Amino acid sequence: MSDNDERSLFLQEVADVKPIRHDRISPQPGTVGASEAQLARRHAAAHGTSDELDLLSLDPAPALDPHAIVGFKRDGVQEGVYKKLRLGKYVLQGSLDLRRHSVPEARRALVDFLRDCERRDIRCLLILHGRGEGPAQSAPSLEGAKRGRLKSQISAWLPCLPSVMAAHSAQPHHGGSGALYVLLRKSEQKKAQNRERHQQRLG
């Protein structure tokens, strides 16, 4: 088939196609789009201004065993740094006791506390959440169940917060599996100071 024949066939196929007058797609009736709140969160996340509360779900996290040892570290955190955190070798500069909080209260308290620590350039913390062990009876207490959920929720929340670089269950003298060591990122001011000192050494 010649080029002219192919062009003729193509023109026949697209003869009834109308050109698009704009580059926006109108939603179809009945289509459920993102809510205003979801759009706002996406915009905020893209611009680095998201409210940390929006990152922490109140949906129940996968339940953890009361004695489970938990931890995580972000890429870029050196193994030596993480090992010192796990072993409780860093000076604890602040602590937050959430054991008597409801889950929504704990979420707000955690976010407010971490923000305050960032502002004050506090980097190594202890978060007390309890183990959630109820009494040795058939029906565990409400208080025990609440604390048990707190351990699961907080362990699930911390990796969602950009300021948290690493976390690990504490040593026994600091609460063991009922508490977490948390390492926060350096503040921008501290990073700038470190760069300045490095440049002075090179100069």
PDB file of all heavy atoms in Angstrom, residues 83-98:
ATOM      1  N   LYS A  83      22.547   1.629  66.411  1.00  0.00           N
ATOM      2  CA  LYS A  83      22.935   0.714  67.490  1.00  0.00           C
ATOM      3  C   LYS A  83      23.013   1.452  68.820  1.00  0.00           C
ATOM      4  O   LYS A  83      22.529   0.955  69.852  1.00  0.00           O
ATOM      5  CB  LYS A  83      24.289   0.069  67.166  1.00  0.00           C
ATOM      6  CG  LYS A  83      24.748  -0.921  68.226  1.00  0.00           C
ATOM      7  CD  LYS A  83      26.063  -1.575  67.846  1.00  0.00           C
ATOM      8  CE  LYS A  83      26.507  -2.564  68.917  1.00  0.00           C
ATOM      9  NZ  LYS A  83      27.790  -3.206  68.571  1.00  0.00           N
ATOM     10  N   LYS A  84      23.591   2.659  68.815  1.00  0.00           N
ATOM     11  CA  LYS A  84      23.664   3.443  70.050  1.00  0.00           C
ATOM     12  C   LYS A  84      22.270   3.796  70.558  1.00  0.00           C
ATOM     13  O   LYS A  84      22.018   3.791  71.759  1.00  0.00           O
ATOM     14  CB  LYS A  84      24.483   4.714  69.825  1.00  0.00           C
ATOM     15  CG  LYS A  84      25.981   4.495  69.742  1.00  0.00           C
ATOM     16  CD  LYS A  84      26.735   5.798  69.597  1.00  0.00           C
ATOM     17  CE  LYS A  84      26.672   6.639  70.852  1.00  0.00           C
ATOM     18  NZ  LYS A  84      27.533   7.853  70.756  1.00  0.00           N
ATOM     19  N   LEU A  85      21.356   4.090  69.622  1.00  0.00           N
ATOM     20  CA  LEU A  85      19.980   4.387  70.020  1.00  0.00           C
ATOM     21  C   LEU A  85      19.347   3.150  70.655  1.00  0.00           C
ATOM     22  O   LEU A  85      18.731   3.243  71.732  1.00  0.00           O
ATOM     23  CB  LEU A  85      19.178   4.835  68.802  1.00  0.00           C
ATOM     24  CG  LEU A  85      17.723   5.248  69.077  1.00  0.00           C
ATOM     25  CD1 LEU A  85      17.672   6.582  69.816  1.00  0.00           C
ATOM     26  CD2 LEU A  85      16.927   5.338  67.775  1.00  0.00           C
ATOM     27  N   ARG A  86      19.481   1.989  70.014  1.00  0.00           N
ATOM     28  CA  ARG A  86      18.894   0.745  70.528  1.00  0.00           C
ATOM     29  C   ARG A  86      19.398   0.422  71.927  1.00  0.00           C
ATOM     30  O   ARG A  86      18.658  -0.051  72.774  1.00  0.00           O
ATOM     31  CB  ARG A  86      19.226  -0.439  69.607  1.00  0.00           C
ATOM     32  CG  ARG A  86      18.587  -0.388  68.250  1.00  0.00           C
ATOM     33  CD  ARG A  86      18.627  -1.771  67.576  1.00  0.00           C
ATOM     34  NE  ARG A  86      19.870  -2.485  67.737  1.00  0.00           N
ATOM     35  CZ  ARG A  86      20.872  -2.492  66.856  1.00  0.00           C
ATOM     36  NH1 ARG A  86      20.779  -1.775  65.747  1.00  0.00           N
ATOM     37  NH2 ARG A  86      21.950  -3.195  67.072  1.00  0.00           N
ATOM     38  N   LEU A  87      20.666   0.680  72.154  1.00  0.00           N
ATOM     39  CA  LEU A  87      21.287   0.336  73.439  1.00  0.00           C
ATOM     40  C   LEU A  87      21.106   1.424  74.494  1.00  0.00           C
ATOM     41  O   LEU A  87      21.595   1.283  75.612  1.00  0.00           O
ATOM     42  CB  LEU A  87      22.782   0.061  73.227  1.00  0.00           C
ATOM     43  CG  LEU A  87      23.109  -1.148  72.330  1.00  0.00           C
ATOM     44  CD1 LEU A  87      24.608  -1.267  72.121  1.00  0.00           C
ATOM     45  CD2 LEU A  87      22.542  -2.433  72.932  1.00  0.00           C
ATOM     46  N   GLY A  88      20.426   2.494  74.144  1.00  0.00           N
ATOM     47  CA  GLY A  88      20.190   3.562  75.110  1.00  0.00           C
ATOM     48  C   GLY A  88      21.438   4.333  75.477  1.00  0.00           C
ATOM     49  O   GLY A  88      21.562   4.830  76.605  1.00  0.00           O
ATOM     50  N   LYS A  89      22.361   4.472  74.519  1.00  0.00           N
ATOM     51  CA  LYS A  89      23.636   5.130  74.790  1.00  0.00           C
ATOM     52  C   LYS A  89      23.562   6.652  74.658  1.00  0.00           C
ATOM     53  O   LYS A  89      24.497   7.345  75.069  1.00  0.00           O
ATOM     54  CB  LYS A  89      24.713   4.594  73.839  1.00  0.00           C
ATOM     55  CG  LYS A  89      24.996   3.107  73.981  1.00  0.00           C
ATOM     56  CD  LYS A  89      25.621   2.774  75.313  1.00  0.00           C
ATOM     57  CE  LYS A  89      26.046   1.308  75.391  1.00  0.00           C
ATOM     58  NZ  LYS A  89      26.635   0.971  76.712  1.00  0.00           N
ATOM     59  N   TYR A  90      22.496   7.159  74.060  1.00  0.00           N
ATOM     60  CA  TYR A  90      22.382   8.603  73.910  1.00  0.00           C
ATOM     61  C   TYR A  90      21.725   9.210  75.154  1.00  0.00           C
ATOM     62  O   TYR A  90      20.869   8.581  75.792  1.00  0.00           O
ATOM     63  CB  TYR A  90      21.555   8.965  72.678  1.00  0.00           C
ATOM     64  CG  TYR A  90      22.259   8.722  71.376  1.00  0.00           C
ATOM     65  CD1 TYR A  90      21.797   7.751  70.488  1.00  0.00           C
ATOM     66  CD2 TYR A  90      23.385   9.451  71.019  1.00  0.00           C
ATOM     67  CE1 TYR A  90      22.438   7.517  69.287  1.00  0.00           C
ATOM     68  CE2 TYR A  90      24.036   9.216  69.817  1.00  0.00           C
ATOM     69  CZ  TYR A  90      23.561   8.252  68.956  1.00  0.00           C
ATOM     70  OH  TYR A  90      24.208   8.022  67.771  1.00  0.00           O
ATOM     71  N   VAL A  91      22.104  10.442  75.465  1.00  0.00           N
ATOM     72  CA  VAL A  91      21.466  11.167  76.554  1.00  0.00           C
ATOM     73  C   VAL A  91      20.039  11.503  76.132  1.00  0.00           C
ATOM     74  O   VAL A  91      19.810  12.053  75.058  1.00  0.00           O
ATOM     75  CB  VAL A  91      22.237  12.468  76.887  1.00  0.00           C
ATOM     76  CG1 VAL A  91      21.490  13.293  77.913  1.00  0.00           C
ATOM     77  CG2 VAL A  91      23.646  12.137  77.364  1.00  0.00           C
ATOM     78  N   LEU A  92      19.084  11.150  76.986  1.00  0.00           N
ATOM     79  CA  LEU A  92      17.682  11.455  76.689  1.00  0.00           C
ATOM     80  C   LEU A  92      17.409  12.912  77.063  1.00  0.00           C
ATOM     81  O   LEU A  92      17.521  13.295  78.220  1.00  0.00           O
ATOM     82  CB  LEU A  92      16.760  10.516  77.474  1.00  0.00           C
ATOM     83  CG  LEU A  92      16.890   9.035  77.108  1.00  0.00           C
ATOM     84  CD1 LEU A  92      16.054   8.174  78.042  1.00  0.00           C
ATOM     85  CD2 LEU A  92      16.478   8.800  75.664  1.00  0.00           C
ATOM     86  N   GLN A  93      17.059  13.687  76.077  1.00  0.00           N
ATOM     87  CA  GLN A  93      16.871  15.123  76.277  1.00  0.00           C
ATOM     88  C   GLN A  93      15.431  15.499  76.585  1.00  0.00           C
ATOM     89  O   GLN A  93      15.153  16.643  76.936  1.00  0.00           O
ATOM     90  CB  GLN A  93      17.329  15.868  75.018  1.00  0.00           C
ATOM     91  CG  GLN A  93      18.794  15.646  74.685  1.00  0.00           C
ATOM     92  CD  GLN A  93      19.133  16.151  73.301  1.00  0.00           C
ATOM     93  OE1 GLN A  93      18.691  15.596  72.298  1.00  0.00           O
ATOM     94  NE2 GLN A  93      19.889  17.236  73.240  1.00  0.00           N
ATOM     95  N   GLY A  94      14.520  14.556  76.440  1.00  0.00           N
ATOM     96  CA  GLY A  94      13.121  14.829  76.730  1.00  0.00           C
ATOM     97  C   GLY A  94      12.345  13.530  76.778  1.00  0.00           C
ATOM     98  O   GLY A  94      12.787  12.506  76.248  1.00  0.00           O
ATOM     99  N   SER A  95      11.188  13.561  77.440  1.00  0.00           N
ATOM    100  CA  SER A  95      10.343  12.365  77.509  1.00  0.00           C
ATOM    101  C   SER A  95       8.876  12.773  77.503  1.00  0.00           C
ATOM    102  O   SER A  95       8.523  13.884  77.912  1.00  0.00           O
ATOM    103  CB  SER A  95      10.659  11.533  78.758  1.00  0.00           C
ATOM    104  OG  SER A  95      10.326  12.256  79.927  1.00  0.00           O
ATOM    105  N   LEU A  96       8.052  11.866  77.019  1.00  0.00           N
ATOM    106  CA  LEU A  96       6.615  12.089  76.944  1.00  0.00           C
ATOM    107  C   LEU A  96       5.911  10.821  77.407  1.00  0.00           C
ATOM    108  O   LEU A  96       6.137   9.741  76.858  1.00  0.00           O
ATOM    109  CB  LEU A  96       6.201  12.420  75.504  1.00  0.00           C
ATOM    110  CG  LEU A  96       4.705  12.606  75.247  1.00  0.00           C
ATOM    111  CD1 LEU A  96       4.184  13.834  75.989  1.00  0.00           C
ATOM    112  CD2 LEU A  96       4.427  12.725  73.752  1.00  0.00           C
ATOM    113  N   ASP A  97       5.066  10.964  78.429  1.00  0.00           N
ATOM    114  CA  ASP A  97       4.324   9.830  78.975  1.00  0.00           C
ATOM    115  C   ASP A  97       2.894   9.878  78.431  1.00  0.00           C
ATOM    116  O   ASP A  97       2.126  10.781  78.755  1.00  0.00           O
ATOM    117  CB  ASP A  97       4.314   9.893  80.502  1.00  0.00           C
ATOM    118  CG  ASP A  97       3.777   8.612  81.129  1.00  0.00           C
ATOM    119  OD1 ASP A  97       3.141   7.817  80.411  1.00  0.00           O
ATOM    120  OD2 ASP A  97       3.997   8.404  82.343  1.00  0.00           O
ATOM    121  N   LEU A  98       2.547   8.894  77.596  1.00  0.00           N
ATOM    122  CA  LEU A  98       1.225   8.840  76.970  1.00  0.00           C
ATOM    123  C   LEU A  98       0.344   7.740  77.553  1.00  0.00           C
ATOM    124  O   LEU A  98      -0.746   7.488  77.033  1.00  0.00           O
ATOM    125  CB  LEU A  98       1.382   8.618  75.454  1.00  0.00           C
ATOM    126  CG  LEU A  98       2.122   9.712  74.695  1.00  0.00           C
ATOM    127  CD1 LEU A  98       2.349   9.284  73.251  1.00  0.00           C
ATOM    128  CD2 LEU A  98       1.344  11.016  74.743  1.00  0.00           C
TER     129      LEU A  98
END
